[in-house]
Amino acid sequence: MATERNVASVKTPTKQYNIDEAIERNWEIPDFTIKEIREAIPAHCFRRDTFRSFTYVFHDGVIIATLAYLASYIDTIPNVYARITLWPLYWIAQGIVGTGVWVIGHECGHQSFSPSKFINNTVGYILHTLLLVPYHSWRFSHSRHHKATGHMSKDQVFVPKTRSKIGLPSREKDTEGDGPHEALEEAPLFILYRMALMFLFGWPLYIFCNVSGQNYPGWASHFNPNCAIFDKNQYWDVISSTLGTLSMMSLLVYCGYVFGPLAVIKYYFIPYLNVNFWLVLITYLQHTDPKLPHYRENIWNFQRGAALTVDRSYGFILNYFHHHISDTHVAHHFFSTMPHYHAEEATAHIKKALGKHYHCDNTPIPIALWNCWKACRFVEDEGDVVFFKN
């Protein structure tokens, strides 16, 4: 329980902060150190093997090429129903494997692919550019996310909206209290509509104009090297990332000219949308849950923020092709330079070390998404520990 003893354990006078919501929810503010967690994990889990990492690039690349080759025969099949069935199967499969490629590029951004920074950034730049991701720009903003996970004013993605931000009256004046506040917000069709918007446009809008991200002045964009997301010394890396994305777009336009726009849509664009779907879904559910709070400055520290992450399994096949980005995400947030192929082993040790502060939810993903969407609409404007409300 979050009691007077717990408040004292964070070495800050009780009167200096507001933990009313933590007390109401019996939430204990943890007080472990990174050193304690690291010492619980075998040393070999932190070793990066360049050759082994490249085998995953080869693995994904071969499967993607094989799927595309097989798809080239779909339109030669006389049966229209077979074609209608096989194209969606190709799009789904290619999107799943493509998400694995995205994850490897993400590992490169964390320098967990290889001990060599040059290899990390070269491989990451290529893989992410192929998926229209501005590699360095995203690498910089994602680093900020890891350095401030769960922080109300410094985290970078899926930052909770406050009560005032969504136009609600103060809690004292709100006749509906913690909600729900609007019948429309609870309507299934409206919820599905909002989900569709997020899954279709959430990722490109985040990259282009920081939708769902931290509030910054002006045009906060991964394509704007002068915005507040980046430091001045990151200017040319942001420029190079933008040029890479533009080059990939140009290549797709050229392919459309040579092979036809429909071919580009069928072979690349629809799988690309599926990759975006998985990326948004995974990220949202890793950092959004009504059981977990967000912290403000008085309470937050790195290890407390890292522990505000949820491990969720998507089943053996998806976990395998997504390189376990979802079911070992707590380990990833504590030690982001750890290669993914050691994360399952590390998770077993982290689970023991964190005890009740380790969070894993085995609710089926569609149900978990529905529950989180309905329950996680806003947080209070005040309080050093705030939970989602609806």
Side-chain angles (χ1 to χ4, degrees):
M1 291 179 62
T3 64
E4 294 289 323
R5 177 181 59 78
N6 295 329
V7 175
S9 73
V10 294
K11 301 178 179 62
T12 306
T14 305
K15 64 180 181 181
Q16 288 190 5
Y17 46 34
N18 176 352
I19 60 166
D20 290 349
E21 287 193 49
I23 294 171
E24 289 171 8
R25 308 247 187 154
N26 292 329
W27 176 263
E28 181 177 336
I29 301 167
D31 201 24
F32 47 75
T33 66
I34 287 294
K35 184 173 183 291
E36 291 170 344
I37 305 302
R38 188 179 183 95
E39 288 177 347
I41 302 171
H44 70 263
C45 289
F46 297 96
R47 294 182 192 136
R48 297 165 289 179
D49 184 329
T50 303
F51 177 80
R52 184 173 180 180
S53 295
F54 267 112
T55 64
Y56 290 96
V57 178
F58 179 76
H59 169 277
D60 290 356
V62 167
I63 295 175
I64 285 172
T66 301
L67 288 171
Y69 174 74
L70 293 175
S72 68
Y73 288 96
I74 293 176
D75 286 336
T76 66
I77 299 173
N79 189 303
V80 65
Y81 297 107
R83 298 198 301 271
I84 291 173
T85 301
L86 289 173
W87 273 117
L89 290 177
Y90 164 76
W91 296 330
I92 291 169
Q94 199 71 291
I96 290 170
V97 183
T99 302
V101 173
W102 196 101
V103 170
I104 295 174
H106 154 265
E107 290 231 315
C108 292
H110 283 293
Q111 306 301 303
S112 61
F113 184 89
S114 166
S116 166
K117 184 177 181 180
F118 175 78
I119 292 175
N120 282 317
N121 288 340
T122 300
V123 174
Y125 186 92
I126 292 170
L127 296 182
H128 269 187
T129 297
L130 289 172
L131 294 169
L132 297 177
V133 179
Y135 170 72
H136 290 297
S137 307
W138 174 85
R139 175 169 70 91
F140 296 142
S141 71
H142 191 64
S143 175
R144 285 183 173 233
H145 160 60
H146 270 258
K147 290 174 182 176
T149 305
H151 194 299
M152 274 298 297
S153 59
K154 295 181 181 177
D155 201 352
Q156 296 296 301
V157 64
F158 288 116
V159 181
K161 289 183 171 62
T162 61
R163 176 183 285 274
S164 61
K165 186 73 174 179
I166 65 172
L168 293 176
S170 66
R171 193 178 187 187
E172 295 75 20
K173 298 179 180 179
D174 191 344
T175 57
E176 299 186 13
D178 295 342
H181 284 80
E182 295 181 18
L184 183 60
E185 293 287 344
E186 296 286 299
L189 286 178
F190 184 73
I191 290 175
L192 291 173
Y193 167 72
R194 294 290 298 273
M195 284 183 180
L197 290 179
M198 183 177 82
F199 291 130
L200 275 174
F201 305 112
W203 170 247
L205 286 176
Y206 171 68
I207 289 294
F208 192 74
C209 53
N210 204 43
V211 168
S212 87
Q214 194 59 249
N215 289 325
Y216 288 111
W219 179 38
S221 170
H222 287 73
F223 299 107
N224 179 8
N226 294 310
C227 75
I229 297 173
F230 309 114
D231 298 330
K232 290 183 178 180
N233 63 351
Q234 296 169 340
Y235 181 92
W236 289 109
D237 282 329
V238 176
I239 291 293
S240 73
S241 301
T242 301
L243 291 175
T245 304
L246 290 173
S247 297
M248 183 60 193
M249 292 174 69
S250 299
L251 176 61
L252 291 172
V253 170
Y254 176 75
C255 289
Y257 175 77
V258 174
F259 303 106
L262 187 59
V264 174
I265 291 171
K266 290 194 297 185
Y267 284 92
Y268 180 90
F269 187 67
I270 296 178
Y272 163 79
L273 291 179
N274 282 334
V275 171
N276 290 354
F277 162 78
W278 286 115
L279 172 59
V280 173
L281 175 65
I282 290 167
T283 307
Y284 176 75
L285 288 179
Q286 284 165 346
H287 301 291
T288 307
D289 192 287
K291 298 186 297 293
L292 299 184
H294 280 66
Y295 297 138
R296 289 195 167 96
E297 186 69 28
N298 286 339
I299 296 289
W300 185 92
N301 62 29
F302 175 83
Q303 56 270 29
R304 288 178 186 152
L308 297 179
T309 304
V310 186
D311 280 350
R312 299 182 191 271
S313 175
Y314 285 66
F316 172 77
I317 293 175
L318 290 177
N319 289 343
Y320 174 81
F321 283 107
H322 291 172
H323 304 304
H324 295 280
I325 190 64
S326 302
D327 57 321
T328 64
H329 206 64
V330 175
H332 174 65
H333 263 270
F334 274 97
F335 307 106
S336 60
T337 58
M338 179 190 295
H340 74 269
Y341 40 81
H342 293 313
E344 285 185 281
E345 180 182 355
T347 294
H349 295 282
I350 285 177
K351 184 176 181 179
K352 294 177 183 177
L354 291 180
K356 61 187 172 184
H357 299 298
Y358 169 78
H359 302 289
C360 176
D361 189 344
N362 292 317
T363 303
I365 296 302
I367 297 173
L369 172 62
W370 187 264
N371 292 342
C372 290
W373 190 280
K374 290 181 67 176
C376 301
R377 188 180 174 209
F378 70 93
V379 298
E380 297 293 347
D381 293 275
E382 299 83 22
D384 293 305
V385 182
V386 290
F387 287 80
F388 276 112
K389 298 174 180 177
N390 66 341

Short mmCIF file of all heavy atoms in Angstrom, two decimals, residues 161-194:
data_model
loop_
_atom_site.label_atom_id
_atom_site.label_comp_id
_atom_site.label_asym_id
_atom_site.label_seq_id
_atom_site.Cartn_x
_atom_site.Cartn_y
_atom_site.Cartn_z
N LYS A 161 -3.76 12.91 -21.82
CA LYS A 161 -4.38 14.23 -21.78
C LYS A 161 -4.89 14.49 -20.37
O LYS A 161 -5.35 13.58 -19.68
CB LYS A 161 -5.53 14.32 -22.79
CG LYS A 161 -5.08 14.33 -24.25
CD LYS A 161 -6.28 14.48 -25.16
CE LYS A 161 -5.84 14.71 -26.61
NZ LYS A 161 -5.08 13.57 -27.15
N THR A 162 -4.82 15.73 -19.95
CA THR A 162 -5.32 16.08 -18.62
C THR A 162 -6.80 16.45 -18.69
O THR A 162 -7.35 16.68 -19.77
CB THR A 162 -4.54 17.26 -18.04
OG1 THR A 162 -4.71 18.40 -18.91
CG2 THR A 162 -3.06 16.93 -17.91
N ARG A 163 -7.42 16.50 -17.53
CA ARG A 163 -8.84 16.85 -17.44
C ARG A 163 -9.13 18.17 -18.15
O ARG A 163 -10.09 18.27 -18.95
CB ARG A 163 -9.24 16.94 -15.97
CG ARG A 163 -10.67 17.39 -15.72
CD ARG A 163 -10.94 17.53 -14.25
NE ARG A 163 -11.10 16.24 -13.59
CZ ARG A 163 -12.24 15.58 -13.53
NH1 ARG A 163 -13.35 16.08 -14.08
NH2 ARG A 163 -12.32 14.42 -12.90
N SER A 164 -8.34 19.19 -17.89
CA SER A 164 -8.59 20.50 -18.50
C SER A 164 -8.33 20.48 -20.00
O SER A 164 -8.99 21.18 -20.77
CB SER A 164 -7.73 21.57 -17.84
OG SER A 164 -6.35 21.29 -17.99
N LYS A 165 -7.36 19.65 -20.43
CA LYS A 165 -7.00 19.60 -21.85
C LYS A 165 -8.16 19.11 -22.70
O LYS A 165 -8.33 19.55 -23.85
CB LYS A 165 -5.79 18.68 -22.04
CG LYS A 165 -5.23 18.63 -23.44
CD LYS A 165 -4.49 19.90 -23.78
CE LYS A 165 -3.80 19.77 -25.14
NZ LYS A 165 -3.09 21.01 -25.51
N ILE A 166 -8.99 18.21 -22.15
CA ILE A 166 -10.12 17.71 -22.95
C ILE A 166 -11.40 18.48 -22.64
O ILE A 166 -12.49 18.10 -23.07
CB ILE A 166 -10.34 16.20 -22.73
CG1 ILE A 166 -10.75 15.88 -21.30
CG2 ILE A 166 -9.10 15.42 -23.12
CD1 ILE A 166 -11.16 14.44 -21.11
N GLY A 167 -11.26 19.57 -21.90
CA GLY A 167 -12.40 20.48 -21.70
C GLY A 167 -13.35 20.12 -20.59
O GLY A 167 -14.49 20.61 -20.58
N LEU A 168 -12.92 19.30 -19.64
CA LEU A 168 -13.80 18.94 -18.52
C LEU A 168 -13.62 19.93 -17.37
O LEU A 168 -12.55 20.51 -17.19
CB LEU A 168 -13.47 17.53 -18.03
CG LEU A 168 -13.78 16.38 -18.99
CD1 LEU A 168 -13.31 15.06 -18.39
CD2 LEU A 168 -15.25 16.32 -19.32
N PRO A 169 -14.65 20.12 -16.55
CA PRO A 169 -14.52 20.98 -15.37
C PRO A 169 -13.62 20.32 -14.33
O PRO A 169 -13.30 19.13 -14.43
CB PRO A 169 -15.96 21.10 -14.86
CG PRO A 169 -16.64 19.87 -15.35
CD PRO A 169 -16.01 19.56 -16.68
N SER A 170 -13.22 21.06 -13.34
CA SER A 170 -12.39 20.51 -12.28
C SER A 170 -13.13 19.37 -11.59
O SER A 170 -14.37 19.28 -11.64
CB SER A 170 -12.03 21.59 -11.26
OG SER A 170 -13.20 22.03 -10.58
N ARG A 171 -12.39 18.53 -10.92
CA ARG A 171 -12.98 17.36 -10.29
C ARG A 171 -14.04 17.76 -9.25
O ARG A 171 -15.08 17.11 -9.12
CB ARG A 171 -11.90 16.52 -9.62
CG ARG A 171 -12.36 15.13 -9.20
CD ARG A 171 -11.22 14.33 -8.59
NE ARG A 171 -11.61 12.95 -8.33
CZ ARG A 171 -10.85 12.08 -7.69
NH1 ARG A 171 -9.66 12.45 -7.25
NH2 ARG A 171 -11.27 10.84 -7.48
N GLU A 172 -13.80 18.86 -8.55
CA GLU A 172 -14.73 19.33 -7.52
C GLU A 172 -16.06 19.77 -8.13
O GLU A 172 -17.12 19.65 -7.51
CB GLU A 172 -14.12 20.47 -6.72
CG GLU A 172 -12.90 20.10 -5.89
CD GLU A 172 -11.65 19.91 -6.73
OE1 GLU A 172 -11.62 20.43 -7.88
OE2 GLU A 172 -10.71 19.23 -6.26
N LYS A 173 -16.01 20.29 -9.37
CA LYS A 173 -17.21 20.80 -10.01
C LYS A 173 -17.83 19.82 -11.00
O LYS A 173 -18.89 20.09 -11.57
CB LYS A 173 -16.89 22.11 -10.73
CG LYS A 173 -16.42 23.22 -9.81
CD LYS A 173 -16.10 24.49 -10.60
CE LYS A 173 -15.62 25.61 -9.68
NZ LYS A 173 -15.28 26.84 -10.44
N ASP A 174 -17.16 18.70 -11.22
CA ASP A 174 -17.62 17.73 -12.22
C ASP A 174 -18.68 16.82 -11.61
O ASP A 174 -18.40 16.03 -10.71
CB ASP A 174 -16.44 16.90 -12.70
CG ASP A 174 -16.77 16.06 -13.92
OD1 ASP A 174 -17.97 15.88 -14.22
OD2 ASP A 174 -15.83 15.58 -14.57
N THR A 175 -19.90 16.94 -12.09
CA THR A 175 -21.01 16.14 -11.54
C THR A 175 -20.86 14.65 -11.84
O THR A 175 -21.48 13.82 -11.18
CB THR A 175 -22.35 16.64 -12.10
OG1 THR A 175 -22.31 16.57 -13.54
CG2 THR A 175 -22.63 18.07 -11.66
N GLU A 176 -20.06 14.33 -12.84
CA GLU A 176 -19.87 12.92 -13.19
C GLU A 176 -18.56 12.36 -12.65
O GLU A 176 -18.18 11.23 -12.98
CB GLU A 176 -19.96 12.74 -14.70
CG GLU A 176 -21.31 13.15 -15.25
CD GLU A 176 -21.45 12.84 -16.74
OE1 GLU A 176 -20.60 12.10 -17.26
OE2 GLU A 176 -22.40 13.33 -17.35
N GLY A 177 -17.85 13.14 -11.87
CA GLY A 177 -16.65 12.65 -11.19
C GLY A 177 -15.61 12.11 -12.14
O GLY A 177 -15.16 12.79 -13.06
N ASP A 178 -15.26 10.84 -11.92
CA ASP A 178 -14.21 10.22 -12.73
C ASP A 178 -14.73 9.59 -14.02
O ASP A 178 -13.99 8.96 -14.76
CB ASP A 178 -13.50 9.14 -11.90
CG ASP A 178 -12.74 9.75 -10.72
OD1 ASP A 178 -12.50 10.96 -10.73
OD2 ASP A 178 -12.40 8.99 -9.79
N GLY A 179 -16.05 9.74 -14.28
CA GLY A 179 -16.59 9.30 -15.55
C GLY A 179 -17.32 7.97 -15.47
O GLY A 179 -17.45 7.39 -14.39
N PRO A 180 -17.83 7.49 -16.61
CA PRO A 180 -17.69 8.08 -17.94
C PRO A 180 -18.47 9.37 -18.11
O PRO A 180 -19.47 9.58 -17.44
CB PRO A 180 -18.23 6.97 -18.86
CG PRO A 180 -19.19 6.21 -18.01
CD PRO A 180 -18.62 6.24 -16.63
N HIS A 181 -18.00 10.21 -19.06
CA HIS A 181 -18.55 11.55 -19.19
C HIS A 181 -19.51 11.72 -20.35
O HIS A 181 -20.39 12.55 -20.29
CB HIS A 181 -17.41 12.57 -19.31
CG HIS A 181 -16.74 12.85 -18.00
ND1 HIS A 181 -15.80 12.00 -17.47
CD2 HIS A 181 -16.89 13.86 -17.13
CE1 HIS A 181 -15.40 12.49 -16.30
NE2 HIS A 181 -16.03 13.61 -16.07
N GLU A 182 -19.31 10.98 -21.44
CA GLU A 182 -20.16 11.18 -22.59
C GLU A 182 -20.63 9.83 -23.11
O GLU A 182 -19.83 8.90 -23.27
CB GLU A 182 -19.41 11.92 -23.71
CG GLU A 182 -19.02 13.35 -23.35
CD GLU A 182 -18.32 14.03 -24.51
OE1 GLU A 182 -18.44 13.53 -25.65
OE2 GLU A 182 -17.65 15.05 -24.28
N ALA A 183 -21.91 9.74 -23.40
CA ALA A 183 -22.46 8.50 -23.95
C ALA A 183 -21.79 8.16 -25.28
O ALA A 183 -21.53 6.99 -25.59
CB ALA A 183 -23.96 8.63 -24.13
N LEU A 184 -21.48 9.21 -26.08
CA LEU A 184 -20.85 8.98 -27.38
C LEU A 184 -19.50 8.31 -27.22
O LEU A 184 -19.12 7.44 -28.02
CB LEU A 184 -20.70 10.31 -28.13
CG LEU A 184 -20.11 10.22 -29.55
CD1 LEU A 184 -21.00 9.34 -30.44
CD2 LEU A 184 -19.95 11.60 -30.15
N GLU A 185 -18.75 8.70 -26.17
CA GLU A 185 -17.44 8.12 -25.94
C GLU A 185 -17.53 6.63 -25.64
O GLU A 185 -16.57 5.88 -25.82
CB GLU A 185 -16.75 8.83 -24.78
CG GLU A 185 -16.37 10.28 -25.05
CD GLU A 185 -15.18 10.40 -25.99
OE1 GLU A 185 -14.47 9.40 -26.18
OE2 GLU A 185 -14.97 11.50 -26.52
N GLU A 186 -18.70 6.18 -25.16
CA GLU A 186 -18.88 4.78 -24.81
C GLU A 186 -19.51 3.96 -25.94
O GLU A 186 -19.56 2.74 -25.86
CB GLU A 186 -19.78 4.68 -23.57
CG GLU A 186 -19.18 5.29 -22.32
CD GLU A 186 -18.07 4.43 -21.75
OE1 GLU A 186 -18.34 3.28 -21.37
OE2 GLU A 186 -16.92 4.91 -21.71
N ALA A 187 -19.99 4.64 -26.99
CA ALA A 187 -20.68 3.95 -28.07
C ALA A 187 -19.69 3.09 -28.87
O ALA A 187 -18.66 3.59 -29.34
CB ALA A 187 -21.35 4.96 -29.00
N PRO A 188 -19.96 1.80 -29.05
CA PRO A 188 -19.02 0.91 -29.75
C PRO A 188 -18.62 1.39 -31.13
O PRO A 188 -17.44 1.33 -31.49
CB PRO A 188 -19.78 -0.42 -29.81
CG PRO A 188 -20.68 -0.38 -28.62
CD PRO A 188 -21.11 1.06 -28.50
N LEU A 189 -19.58 1.87 -31.92
CA LEU A 189 -19.26 2.32 -33.28
C LEU A 189 -18.33 3.52 -33.26
O LEU A 189 -17.40 3.63 -34.08
CB LEU A 189 -20.53 2.64 -34.06
CG LEU A 189 -21.37 1.45 -34.51
CD1 LEU A 189 -22.62 1.92 -35.24
CD2 LEU A 189 -20.55 0.52 -35.42
N PHE A 190 -18.56 4.43 -32.30
CA PHE A 190 -17.69 5.61 -32.19
C PHE A 190 -16.29 5.19 -31.76
O PHE A 190 -15.29 5.71 -32.26
CB PHE A 190 -18.27 6.61 -31.20
CG PHE A 190 -17.49 7.89 -31.10
CD1 PHE A 190 -17.54 8.82 -32.13
CD2 PHE A 190 -16.69 8.16 -30.00
CE1 PHE A 190 -16.82 10.01 -32.06
CE2 PHE A 190 -15.97 9.33 -29.92
CZ PHE A 190 -16.03 10.26 -30.94
N ILE A 191 -16.20 4.25 -30.83
CA ILE A 191 -14.90 3.75 -30.37
C ILE A 191 -14.14 3.11 -31.53
O ILE A 191 -12.94 3.36 -31.74
CB ILE A 191 -15.08 2.75 -29.21
CG1 ILE A 191 -15.56 3.48 -27.95
CG2 ILE A 191 -13.77 2.01 -28.92
CD1 ILE A 191 -15.88 2.55 -26.80
N LEU A 192 -14.84 2.28 -32.32
CA LEU A 192 -14.20 1.63 -33.45
C LEU A 192 -13.73 2.65 -34.49
O LEU A 192 -12.66 2.49 -35.09
CB LEU A 192 -15.15 0.61 -34.08
CG LEU A 192 -15.45 -0.63 -33.24
CD1 LEU A 192 -16.54 -1.46 -33.90
CD2 LEU A 192 -14.19 -1.46 -33.04
N TYR A 193 -14.53 3.69 -34.68
CA TYR A 193 -14.15 4.76 -35.60
C TYR A 193 -12.87 5.46 -35.14
O TYR A 193 -11.94 5.67 -35.93
CB TYR A 193 -15.30 5.75 -35.72
CG TYR A 193 -14.94 7.06 -36.40
CD1 TYR A 193 -14.72 7.11 -37.77
CD2 TYR A 193 -14.82 8.25 -35.66
CE1 TYR A 193 -14.38 8.31 -38.40
CE2 TYR A 193 -14.50 9.44 -36.27
CZ TYR A 193 -14.27 9.47 -37.64
OH TYR A 193 -13.94 10.65 -38.24
N ARG A 194 -12.81 5.77 -33.85
CA ARG A 194 -11.62 6.43 -33.32
C ARG A 194 -10.40 5.52 -33.39
O ARG A 194 -9.29 5.97 -33.68
CB ARG A 194 -11.87 6.86 -31.87
CG ARG A 194 -12.95 7.93 -31.69
CD ARG A 194 -12.49 9.28 -32.22
NE ARG A 194 -11.34 9.77 -31.49
CZ ARG A 194 -11.40 10.48 -30.36
NH1 ARG A 194 -12.58 10.75 -29.82
NH2 ARG A 194 -10.31 10.91 -29.77
#
